[in-house]
Amino acid sequence: MNKILIVDANPYHLSIMFGLLEKAGYEPVTADSMKKGKEEVAKLPPGGVIVSAINLHGVSVVELIEWMKARGYKFPVLVIVDNLNAVELVEVMSDWKAVNIIQRPAIDKQLIEFVRKYAKKEKGSLNLGKQLLPRLSKEWQEIGRKIGIMAKSNANVIVFGASGTGKEQVALQVYLQSVRSQKPYIVIEAGGAGIIGEHDLQSGQSEIYTRIKNYFLQADGGTIIVKNLHLLNLEKQSVLLHILQEEHPDVRVICTAEPYLQDMVMKQTFRTTLLYMLKEYEIAIPSISDVTEDIPVLADTFLRMYADDCNEKKKRLDSSALKELRKHPWIGNVRELKNVIIQAALDTLGDTITASDLTLSVHGSVEPAVLPLKCPNEESRRITDALTKTRWNKTQASELLNISRNTLNYKIKQYGLVQN
């Protein structure tokens, strides 16, 4: 979504243009003076367009354009004129100062047409945002049901899943569908700089405590989402446990974590009490290699989003491409699938994406450094034994074989193994 800066001193005209641009799918930003306009230009991301009145409070738009040129800003500037004054037009259009003129009486017809012409898209940078992607699998139908149940509860939740499975979107949906959505939410990255600090031994003051405590104060009555809980070190765990156990803040905590968090408790690198205070309810997100029926609808969604974002015709995947996508192990899960689909959409000249248009990484299809299986016949036999012994519990079977669950899924497909 492109940001469009509107520079105009008339509140009525600002409101009209804001509404037109927002309805057309752009993100409008307003400034009512040249000074404010300069401040907003400095904040514009790539792909922005500036729409400015020719004069504001006696200051010509040429001043803004010259200021931009001196600082290396090359955003296209569309100038709004009230009438076709030849002298003014020459001043703003000469030497490539402005890219075009919009006549104010025709603004409802010309604004979107010209903005669309000059607003550049950065292809291949698709942002999935906060939405839940459409799914067909029964596993995801159950996740949707659990989100609805948790939205009615005030219990703390941990959303488990491998990297790239969509844990954050699920966690956010629990908040958005809850009563607490009327109150603020704060996102904390457990391994990020937001909660880095030191403990002063002389004063007894803890910078980590102060930082985490402030997050709870900001989210009072609302929700804190802790991303990647497994990255929280023991000192930060102690602070979080103290706040929850001793201070009882009116804040719901929703966490995301990779499945090995459970193993960290066994290894005493994560506090048991804290885990069970945060895990009053849990939601497990499957890897897409476990729900391959979701791959076609996810891929089609990415193609549609890409087409809408770039104002292009939507491309399609043929049967050969879908076959390749279904058998790929997807170590990076949905994030990796999105990247593969967007790259194919960028590289493919026609309307149809075939298997040969896909760039599928082999980075994790097999892990020879970890996999203790060499001979194919022996591999198949040992995998079958492990699956039988664990009653086809893939997590337990992969632990017995000392391989990742994604590698196990790949091998099951490779050898055509089926549960009896």
Side-chain angles (χ1 to χ4, degrees):
M1 182 186 296
N2 296 75
K3 275 196 174 182
I4 312 298
L5 171 60
I6 314 167
V7 186
D8 200 314
N10 187 308
Y12 173 74
H13 292 151
L14 278 175
S15 175
I16 292 293
M17 289 187 281
F18 190 99
L20 288 169
L21 289 165
E22 192 172 47
K23 187 176 180 181
Y26 296 103
E27 187 176 346
V29 182
T30 62
D32 58 6
S33 69
M34 289 299 177
K35 180 182 177 183
K36 179 67 173 173
K38 292 174 184 177
E39 294 173 1
E40 294 299 332
V41 167
K43 301 175 187 176
L44 276 182
V49 173
I50 298 166
V51 180
S52 176
I54 194 165
N55 285 292
L56 275 84
H57 306 298
V59 181
S60 171
V61 69
V62 173
E63 179 183 313
L64 175 63
I65 295 171
E66 295 292 354
W67 177 87
M68 288 169 54
K69 188 183 294 184
R71 286 156 180 78
Y73 294 116
K74 298 179 181 179
F75 297 109
V77 179
L78 298 167
V79 176
I80 304 168
V81 298
D82 294 296
N83 54 64
L84 294 176
N85 182 303
V87 176
E88 289 181 327
L89 291 181
V90 169
E91 184 183 17
V92 298
M93 291 293 290
S94 62
D95 299 324
W96 298 101
K97 287 187 176 74
V99 295
N100 220 321
I101 297 294
I102 297 176
Q103 299 179 56
R104 196 178 292 279
I107 204 160
D108 58 329
K109 298 185 178 105
Q110 294 182 338
L111 179 64
I112 302 305
E113 176 189 346
F114 287 168
V115 165
R116 187 172 288 127
K117 180 178 179 181
Y118 295 104
K120 294 181 179 179
K121 292 283 187 181
E122 282 193 304
K123 294 187 177 182
S125 57
L126 194 65
N127 183 6
L128 300 183
K130 303 174 181 179
Q131 63 183 306
L132 271 184
L133 297 169
R135 303 293 192 116
L136 297 177
S137 62
K138 65 179 186 302
E139 289 86 348
W140 271 92
Q141 301 308 310
E142 177 63 12
I143 288 169
R145 188 186 72 83
K146 287 183 177 180
I147 290 172
I149 291 172
M150 291 317 303
K152 299 173 184 176
S153 165
N154 192 39
N156 294 330
V157 183
I158 299 182
V159 183
F160 288 102
S163 177
T165 50
K167 301 185 295 295
E168 288 77 18
Q169 285 83 359
V170 170
L172 188 57
Q173 283 300 314
V174 174
Y175 160 75
L176 290 173
Q177 295 183 31
S178 72
V179 175
R180 286 184 179 251
S181 63
Q182 298 170 340
K183 291 282 192 172
Y185 79 98
I186 304 291
V187 178
I188 303 174
E189 171 57 64
I195 49 177
I196 289 176
E198 296 180 354
H199 183 78
D200 188 331
L201 294 175
Q202 291 185 337
S203 66
Q205 295 295 313
S206 169
E207 190 177 355
I208 294 175
Y209 170 80
T210 302
R211 285 174 181 258
I212 296 177
K213 177 67 175 178
N214 282 339
Y215 285 127
F216 276 90
L217 292 174
Q218 292 172 45
D220 185 43
T223 303
I224 283 180
I225 296 177
V226 181
K227 293 172 58 177
N228 299 312
L229 181 65
H230 51 280
L231 299 180
L232 208 64
N233 65 27
L234 284 168
E235 185 177 5
K236 295 171 187 174
Q237 291 173 35
S238 297
V239 171
L240 182 56
L241 179 60
H242 169 80
I243 291 172
L244 293 173
Q245 201 169 35
E246 303 298 329
E247 301 181 15
H248 307 290
D250 182 18
V251 175
R252 184 188 198 179
V253 183
I254 303 172
C255 304
T256 70
E258 296 208 6
Y260 67 80
L261 176 67
Q262 312 270 15
D263 297 331
M264 292 175 65
V265 174
M266 302 296 294
K267 296 174 182 176
Q268 297 185 336
T269 55
F270 198 94
R271 295 179 178 273
T272 307
T273 306
L274 178 60
L275 175 68
Y276 289 103
M277 286 194 75
L278 296 173
K279 198 182 75 165
E280 294 176 324
Y281 197 94
E282 65 178 284
I283 300 176
I285 311 297
S287 300
I288 58 170
S289 55
D290 290 331
V291 285
T292 53
E293 61 266 47
D294 288 338
I295 290 175
V297 69
L298 286 170
D300 190 68
T301 299
F302 296 144
L303 288 173
R304 176 183 51 75
M305 292 171 69
Y306 171 82
D308 291 346
D309 199 48
C310 299
N311 197 27
E312 295 180 358
K313 183 179 178 181
K314 178 177 164 292
K315 298 180 180 182
R316 57 175 289 272
L317 295 156
D318 75 358
S319 58
S320 70
L322 288 171
K323 182 178 179 181
E324 287 300 310
L325 293 176
R326 283 192 180 98
K327 70 181 186 181
H328 187 69
W330 299 114
I331 303 301
N333 283 292
V334 176
R335 191 179 292 119
E336 183 187 358
L337 175 62
K338 182 203 75 171
N339 294 344
V340 167
I341 296 300
I342 298 306
Q343 183 173 343
L346 277 165
D347 293 344
T348 305
L349 297 178
D351 294 335
T352 303
I353 298 170
T354 67
S356 61
D357 297 317
L358 301 173
T359 304
L360 295 169
S361 172
V362 295
H363 59 73
S365 48
V366 200
E367 298 172 45
V370 177
L371 191 63
L373 312 170
K374 302 297 180 183
C375 171
N377 290 336
E378 178 66 9
E379 240 183 20
S380 177
R381 183 189 65 77
R382 290 181 61 187
I383 290 172
T384 301
D385 287 347
L387 289 167
T388 302
K389 184 179 292 186
T390 60
R391 297 183 180 180
W392 274 74
N393 183 311
K394 294 179 182 178
T395 300
Q396 294 177 12
S398 61
E399 291 174 356
L400 284 176
L401 295 164
N402 194 27
I403 59 176
S404 74
R405 181 171 169 137
N406 281 333
T407 298
L408 177 60
N409 284 322
Y410 176 77
K411 289 293 181 181
I412 289 171
K413 292 176 184 177
Q414 181 183 9
Y415 294 122
L417 302 178
V418 294
Q419 186 173 5
N420 295 323

